[in-house]
Amino acid sequence: MNMTDTNSSSTAAASAPGRRQGEVILDLQNISLRFGGVKALTDISFNIREHEVRAIIGPNGAGKSSMLNVINGVYHPQEGRIMFRGEERKKMEPHVAAQQGIARTFQNIALFKGMSVLDNIMTGRNLRMKCNIFQQALWLGPALREEIAHREKVEEIVDFLEIQHIRKTPVGALPYGLQKRVDLGRALAMEPQILLLDEPMAGMNVEEKQDMCRFILDISDQFGTTIVLIEHDMGVVMDISDRVVVLDYGKKIGDGTPHEVRNNQDVINAYLGSGH
Amino acid sequence: MGFFIETMLGGLMTGMLYALVALGFVLIFKASGVFNFAQGAMVLVAALAMARFSEWSNAALGGDSLFLANVIGIIGAGAVMFLVAWAVERFVLRKLVNQEGATLLMVTLGIAYVLEGLGQTFFGSEIYSINVGMPKDPVIMFEGLIEGGVMINKEDFIAAALAAVLVGGLTLFFQKTAIGRALRAVADDHQAAQSVGIPLNKTWVIVWCVAGLVALVAGIIWGSKMGVQFSLVTVALRALPVVILGGLTSVPGAIVGGLIIGVGEKLSEVYLGPFVGGGIEIWFAYVMALIVLLFRPQGLFGEKIINRV
Ligand SMILES: Nc1ncnc2c1ncn2[C@@H]1O[C@H](COP(=O)(O)OP(=O)(O)O)[C@@H](O)[C@H]1O
Ligand SMILES: [Mg+2]
């Protein structure tokens, strides 16, 4: 990746206006995270506003994924506070983050390999299913009706992501690009307020990237979902994000609009220095 | 010919029970990565609880209604198994998430000793009986087809049918319900499952409850056949080679493996036994499992190499 090679970003500034940017929904304050001796994150602060597309960029090993894992409760930072809708969030597990409306995709796809595309996306509806184990085990009416209702919602997502043709395919048999799309579909099925995307376009060809960009923008426009996006492709970041935070060696070295960040000398150095 | 088929059928019927217990192993392994050595102890505890609760309530009822006493016994034993599942999650699994497979395996050995000890402390350590009205007499079948017909033990037949129904029911539950889907999700990927809001803890309690249910049914069947005593543990551990043979992560593997071992045991006992001396059915299953391991380390149906045990 090269900071000067971003001609596709000419419309960067133009994409930001018009999008709703609301209150601060998540405020990360002085977050530090260590693994033994490794400092993955050092004293990082930034916030995320409702409805925006917030990008996190930085060289490999900068701590981007760690940051996402902090947000959805996989890692617990040794220092710092996380304010969620103005209240300090307690240390919690990922499934609690899910209950609070935070969904995510994974850098290394983590789909349920033994299941079909539909079943994978159906798991995203899990929290919204209310029937108890006995109703389900005995296939009682309410359980069946609930299943059908959620199946309809899942079909909507399948249509939205244009994956009708692979609905019944076991995900393990799908090419990489489509798996990424199913991963997104599963997160979308949760109808989240905040959607965390860890390199959703990594390893994709140009066409697949364009599709993914379109989906992300459509999600933002149609559902108003707050999106936190880790991405390596600078052109993409400039195109679709409202604000960008830049990490390097676990430290924050830049924060602002794509335009501001691109002209930030520290950021330019980090990218040139790391050989991207 | 009739004798051969008789032996085969006998093996299939025993094998169905192995399949049931093996299913308990597989479910727990898939959902929590734990190779549960305590499954045998769970069978013992379930059978003890069943035998004693029904005995006590039978006495309290003045011996009037064995049926009611048995129902109370089953409910009581079910409650005990639920308690075991809850305690295992609460006091063991929760503390040991993400530990090495070997550590977890040792832990289940510990759980086994605790269960055996507590079970015998609470319920006694003598030989007890379970009487759920299993018929003990044999029937002759297929007389028209085979000369002399085939003699089948009714008790074995009912037991096998019960096991088959339970195995089928559980398989359907896992394939066709939302909770089953959530359990499969946890089995496939802990992180991803949590990210969609599936709590691991609750999942583990459910899976251990299912294993408890399996243990209860197996305990009642074997207990009523040969009395409730410590050796039930060993009988249940006969399902061990079954999961090795079938593959630790495969439900169909547990079923097919159970049937293969059941039949293999019986045939070897009858046809090889006279040459190598008795007791062959005890180790033959392991030899079969080992042979399979030589060619397919992941078992007949297992996925890739298991790096957890
Ligand atoms: N679970 C973990 N255990 C130990 N070290 C980790 C763990 N997760 C991340 N790290 C370390 O933290 C640093 C940041 O990693 P990561 O957040 O994955 O970076 P990025 O996503 O920006 O490439 C790296 O040095 C990595 O080795
Ligand atoms: Mg990463």
Side-chain angles (χ1 to χ4, degrees):
Chain A
M1 185 172 16
N2 190 322
M3 289 305 294
T4 55
D5 180 27
T6 52
N7 33 18
S8 66
S9 68
S10 51
T11 55
S15 76
R19 191 178 284 141
R20 301 153 287 174
Q21 228 189 71
E23 299 285 302
V24 170
I25 184 169
L26 201 61
D27 192 18
L28 299 137
Q29 302 177 350
N30 310 99
I31 302 288
S32 292
L33 175 73
R34 290 180 300 275
F35 298 103
V38 180
K39 285 183 174 177
L41 300 170
T42 310
D43 196 27
I44 291 186
S45 302
F46 67 96
N47 63 27
I48 295 158
R49 291 183 173 279
E50 232 166 337
H51 310 305
E52 75 174 335
V53 176
R54 183 70 146 130
I56 303 177
I57 65 171
N60 267 325
K64 306 181 295 296
S65 295
S66 300
M67 196 67 236
L68 226 56
N69 283 322
V70 165
I71 295 176
N72 96 310
V74 176
Y75 297 153
H76 303 116
Q78 281 85 3
E79 279 145 53
R81 297 203 302 173
I82 302 172
M83 310 292 286
F84 182 61
R85 295 191 182 285
E87 279 179 40
E88 179 161 1
R89 208 178 75 173
K90 297 198 182 63
K91 182 178 164 180
M92 66 179 193
E93 295 296 309
H95 72 267
V96 182
Q99 284 164 13
Q100 295 183 348
I102 301 178
R104 71 168 295 176
T105 67
F106 294 84
Q107 179 171 359
N108 306 308
I109 302 166
L111 288 169
F112 307 124
K113 294 201 181 48
M115 298 189 206
S116 69
V117 169
L118 280 180
D119 269 352
N120 264 277
I121 301 179
M122 274 297 269
T123 61
R125 305 298 294 171
N126 184 67
L127 281 173
R128 290 168 194 272
M129 297 198 150
K130 300 289 173 240
C131 284
N132 66 37
I133 192 166
F134 299 106
Q135 289 171 312
Q136 291 190 22
L138 300 173
W139 279 354
L140 297 183
L144 294 185
R145 279 193 294 278
E146 186 176 52
E147 179 85 7
I148 290 167
H150 287 290
R151 178 56 61 112
E152 276 169 15
K153 182 73 200 174
V154 165
E155 293 288 356
E156 280 174 31
I157 289 165
V158 164
D159 288 344
F160 179 83
L161 293 176
E162 298 161 13
I163 46 178
Q164 299 90 340
H165 57 296
I166 51 162
R167 296 155 69 245
K168 305 248 157 117
T169 315
V171 291
L174 292 176
Y176 184 80
L178 283 177
Q179 290 197 17
K180 282 261 180 198
R181 220 184 270 191
V182 177
D183 197 4
L184 175 62
R186 182 178 61 190
L188 264 190
M190 295 166 66
E191 298 181 61
Q193 292 172 20
I194 305 180
L195 181 58
L196 312 174
L197 305 174
D198 197 344
E199 305 203 16
M201 290 165 241
M204 286 187 168
N205 63 35
V206 175
E207 200 180 328
E208 288 171 327
K209 275 188 186 178
Q210 279 170 353
D211 283 340
M212 189 54 90
C213 276
R214 183 161 53 83
F215 293 136
I216 293 172
L217 288 175
D218 283 352
I219 292 165
S220 173
D221 292 342
Q222 290 182 26
F223 312 127
T225 313
T226 307
I227 296 175
V228 182
L229 167 80
I230 295 179
E231 184 46 52
H232 261 303
D233 188 320
M234 220 25 124
V236 166
V237 170
M238 297 299 154
D239 266 354
I240 69 175
S241 49
D242 299 300
R243 293 193 298 157
V244 184
V245 57
V246 192
L247 303 184
D248 191 23
Y249 292 112
K251 297 205 173 78
K252 185 172 101 169
I253 58 168
D255 191 354
T257 65
H259 183 74
E260 286 164 4
V261 160
R262 191 157 39 131
N263 296 317
N264 177 327
Q265 194 57 44
D266 287 340
V267 175
I268 294 169
N269 292 345
Y271 271 92
L272 293 178
S274 71
H276 282 277
Chain B
M1 184 62 188
F3 181 67
F4 175 75
I5 293 179
E6 216 169 274
T7 317
M8 281 276 288
L9 284 178
L12 283 176
M13 291 188 297
T14 322
M16 208 57 232
L17 279 173
Y18 291 161
L20 179 63
V21 178
L23 189 64
F25 272 107
V26 169
L27 293 178
I28 287 185
F29 185 80
K30 275 171 79 93
S32 53
V34 175
F35 190 85
N36 180 23
F37 255 112
Q39 188 77 51
M42 286 166 74
V43 171
L44 174 68
V45 168
L48 273 174
M50 166 69 193
R52 300 295 277 167
F53 278 130
S54 58
E55 186 188 323
W56 292 330
S57 45
N58 198 27
L61 292 166
D64 283 344
S65 173
L66 184 61
F67 177 76
L68 190 59
N70 276 331
V71 170
I72 295 174
I74 289 176
I75 293 173
V80 168
M81 295 326 282
F82 172 77
L83 208 67
V84 168
W86 177 83
V88 163
E89 191 283 319
R90 182 71 186 74
F91 299 111
V92 182
L93 295 182
R94 193 180 288 189
K95 316 275 180 212
L96 293 173
V97 213
N98 295 331
Q99 295 293 321
E100 291 284 317
T103 314
L104 294 168
L105 178 111
M106 300 305 282
V107 165
T108 65
L109 278 175
I111 295 176
Y113 285 121
V114 170
L115 284 181
E116 286 160 12
L118 283 182
Q120 296 189 346
T121 309
F122 280 115
F123 298 115
S125 52
E126 282 152 46
I127 299 179
Y128 305 100
S129 63
I130 290 176
N131 180 5
V132 283
M134 282 280 210
K136 300 285 181 189
D137 50 323
V139 283
I140 310 284
M141 285 171 78
F142 305 124
E143 267 172 303
L145 292 174
I146 301 151
E147 209 188 304
V150 175
M151 197 169 74
I152 288 179
N153 190 330
K154 261 195 212 166
E155 181 178 21
D156 289 348
F157 181 75
I158 292 175
L162 210 61
V165 167
L166 191 55
V167 167
L170 285 176
T171 312
L172 276 179
F173 175 73
F174 280 97
Q175 289 303 323
K176 298 286 180 195
T177 67
I179 291 180
R181 186 165 48 227
L183 295 177
R184 281 182 290 140
V186 170
D188 268 2
D189 194 311
H190 284 188
Q191 267 220 5
Q194 282 194 296
S195 83
V196 292
I198 302 170
L200 294 186
N201 305 27
K202 199 174 143 200
T203 307
W204 288 334
V205 173
I206 293 177
V207 172
W208 280 73
C209 275
V210 171
L213 175 71
V214 163
L216 177 57
V217 172
I220 291 175
I221 290 171
W222 278 322
S224 100
K225 186 170 175 168
M226 52 206 194
V228 177
Q229 51 187 315
F230 193 80
S231 64
L232 280 184
V233 175
T234 345
V235 179
L237 287 182
R238 291 257 186 92
L240 221 59
V242 171
V243 282
I244 298 172
L245 183 84
L248 277 172
T249 53
S250 168
V251 172
I255 300 169
V256 176
L259 296 178
I260 292 178
I261 297 267
V263 171
E265 252 180 31
K266 280 283 183 298
L267 289 180
S268 69
E269 179 192 349
V270 170
Y271 292 100
L272 290 176
F275 302 106
V276 293
I280 184 172
E281 62 175 311
I282 292 175
W283 53 264
F284 186 77
Y286 284 92
V287 173
M288 287 190 7
L290 282 178
I291 292 172
V292 168
L293 279 190
L294 285 182
F295 296 101
R296 281 184 67 85
Q298 72 272 44
L300 287 177
F301 292 79
E303 300 150 10
K304 295 213 194 73
I305 304 293
I306 305 127
N307 53 12
R308 279 174 154 156
V309 169

